[in-house]
Amino acid sequence: MPATMNRRVLLKSRPVGEPKPSDFEIADAPLPKPGDGELLIRTIWLSLDPYMRGRMNDVKSYSAPVELGGVMTGGTVGEVMESHHPGFQPGDFVLSYGGWQTHHVAKAGAAPGPFGPLKLDPRVAPISTALGVLGMPGMTAFVGLYDIGQPKPGETVVVSAAAGAVGSAVGQLAKIRGCRAVGIAGSQDKCEYVVKELGFDACVSYRSADLTTALRDACPKGIDVYFDNVGGDVLKAVLRLVNPFARIPLCGLISQYNATELPPGPNFGPVLVNRVTIRGFIVSDHADRLPAFLAECARWVREGRLKYREDVVAGIDSAPAAFIGLLRGQNLGKMLVKVSEDPTRR
Ligand SMILES: NC(=O)c1ccc[n+]([C@@H]2O[C@H](COP(=O)([O-])OP(=O)(O)OC[C@H]3O[C@@H](n4cnc5c(N)ncnc54)[C@H](OP(=O)(O)O)[C@@H]3O)[C@@H](O)[C@H]2O)c1
């Protein structure tokens, strides 16, 4: 029976420190009505990503915060239920930016970009991968490593949050480029996954008693590229081991997303003496790389050279707890909410 209500997760209060379930409110609303040029979309998959923590704060960033009482923002893959645009039919699968809710209306015909509305072909790859290895996180790994990190065969590439959506792709892309790939992750289990299943050369837990020594052992020729997903103490340890002319794509700082006070910064002495390049980047600035990313990474996924794992919870009501868990490192691979049935996976 077609749904008559739209179930939504709203931002109820701005978290101080770690988000709590009470910072979210789950509420039903009537189904939205699409106008001219618009689509009504039933969400199948909702992506949960660390950047959403920043959107819960009322501070200036590279994009606007979620309003109090507003629907939490997020990338989605869904099925078109009703189309008022000639380019889309009911039953089409689309990537869009529907947010934490069961249904939404999207403007079709707006310039399609890496974040939609983009029609997906389930014969090319499972549609959920448009939120993971073949979506924003995969493209972040591709652009951040290849364009900004510029790894050369034989170099050592280190990546933190190595068992997550971005990090797991970074290490595999480093291997494809002929580099030594070393992961840093939060547990021995994650390290085992990264080495045994994804083919990294080594992985160390940042909870080990002496991270610098563990990293030095894993990187006997020093570190040429550090793909930083976490900042903080891990960055400090890495900086002690960088080689001359090392590159550091600064992708994320998840160790401080819940911080109420910023930690003291790292010592930049090694950055100066080794002439290290550190460059922050935001994947949405690199939309021109979408065709190259999709062509190469879709092929590597098909060939089994770029593996991925999805960590799935069921139902829109599960989103707040799963998001809190993501920030605590409870996910392995890409964190997804299965909001409704995926007809391509029956
Ligand atoms: N610049 C961009 O355009 C862009 C785009 C996408 C993502 N990002 C950034 O990329 C990073 C990874 O994102 P993702 O989507 O792939 O998430 P993810 O790695 O799938 O999940 C987040 C992981 O971060 C780790 N973590 C949490 N707290 C930590 C801490 N205090 N210290 C060290 N690690 C911690 C956890 O793994 P452990 O168990 O290993 O701790 C957790 O599983 C995030 O910083 C995100 O903001 C940036």
Side-chain angles (χ1 to χ4, degrees):
M1 200 179 64
T4 54
M5 299 301 277
N6 179 26
R7 198 161 176 83
R8 310 175 305 157
V9 182
L10 312 176
L11 178 63
K12 190 170 164 199
S13 49
R14 302 206 182 275
V16 178
E18 188 178 50
K20 301 180 294 302
S22 58
D23 292 324
F24 303 91
E25 182 181 354
I26 296 174
D28 289 331
L31 276 192
K33 290 201 186 328
D36 240 18
E38 292 184 335
L39 315 170
L40 173 65
I41 298 167
R42 163 181 78 89
T43 300
I44 300 172
W45 298 100
L46 164 67
S47 177
L48 295 180
D49 299 270
Y51 75 82
M52 294 165 174
R53 177 64 187 83
R55 302 284 163 87
M56 299 174 86
N57 297 335
D58 190 11
V59 292
K60 187 174 171 289
S61 184
Y62 59 92
S63 56
V66 178
E67 301 276 324
L68 277 181
V71 177
M72 287 288 297
T73 50
T76 50
V77 163
E79 182 179 5
V80 175
M81 310 302 295
E82 197 180 319
S83 172
H84 295 261
H85 185 279
F88 292 84
Q89 305 300 320
D92 282 349
F93 298 105
V94 287
L95 170 70
S96 55
Y97 210 67
W100 298 24
Q101 54 188 340
T102 57
H103 298 78
H104 66 280
V105 162
K107 184 104 193 135
F115 315 107
L118 202 65
K119 212 185 282 192
L120 300 171
D121 183 347
R123 291 165 305 183
V124 173
I127 55 175
S128 58
T129 58
L131 298 170
V133 67
L134 297 179
M136 185 276 282
M139 186 155 153
T140 302
F142 183 83
V143 166
L145 181 66
Y146 287 166
D147 295 1
I148 296 171
Q150 304 263 336
K152 296 174 203 58
E155 288 191 330
T156 298
V157 172
V158 173
V159 58
S160 45
V166 175
S168 59
V170 169
Q172 295 180 84
L173 294 179
K175 289 302 298 175
I176 288 171
R177 187 52 63 90
C179 300
R180 176 174 175 80
V182 176
I184 303 176
S187 69
Q188 285 310 332
D189 282 357
K190 287 190 178 185
C191 281
E192 214 169 288
Y193 162 69
V194 155
V195 172
K196 291 202 176 138
E197 288 191 42
L198 302 183
F200 286 40
D201 296 286
C203 182
V204 301
S205 165
Y206 62 82
R207 297 199 166 93
S208 40
D210 184 350
L211 177 59
T212 306
T213 304
L215 262 180
R216 189 175 283 124
D217 291 347
C219 306
K221 293 186 187 163
I223 297 171
D224 300 295
V225 179
Y226 172 50
F227 191 106
D228 192 6
N229 280 322
V230 308
D233 290 341
V234 176
L235 175 60
K236 280 188 204 167
V238 167
L239 285 183
R240 298 172 68 178
L241 302 171
V242 283
N243 287 333
F245 302 103
R247 286 82 64 202
I248 303 185
L250 198 56
C251 175
L253 296 167
I254 197 167
S255 70
Q256 61 194 49
Y257 290 174
N258 284 331
T260 47
E261 269 177 51
L262 290 185
N267 165 23
F268 280 121
V271 175
L272 175 62
V273 296
N274 290 298
R275 291 83 97 203
V276 172
T277 302
I278 303 181
R279 185 174 157 200
F281 73 99
I282 300 291
V283 63
S284 49
D285 293 331
H286 300 266
D288 59 311
R289 294 286 281 146
L290 184 66
F293 157 67
L294 283 177
E296 304 227 73
C297 288
R299 177 164 50 84
W300 290 329
V301 168
R302 272 196 305 277
E303 292 169 357
R305 298 175 76 192
L306 181 54
K307 300 192 178 107
Y308 65 95
R309 189 185 275 225
E310 296 173 335
D311 197 334
V312 177
V313 296
I316 192 73
D317 293 11
S318 312
F323 178 62
I324 294 167
L326 171 80
L327 296 172
R328 289 182 185 167
Q330 286 166 359
N331 63 308
L332 181 58
K334 174 68 204 139
M335 189 74 235
L336 291 174
V337 181
K338 189 174 183 204
V339 176
S340 66
E341 216 34 57
D342 181 344
T344 68
R345 283 206 191 175
R346 275 196 195 116

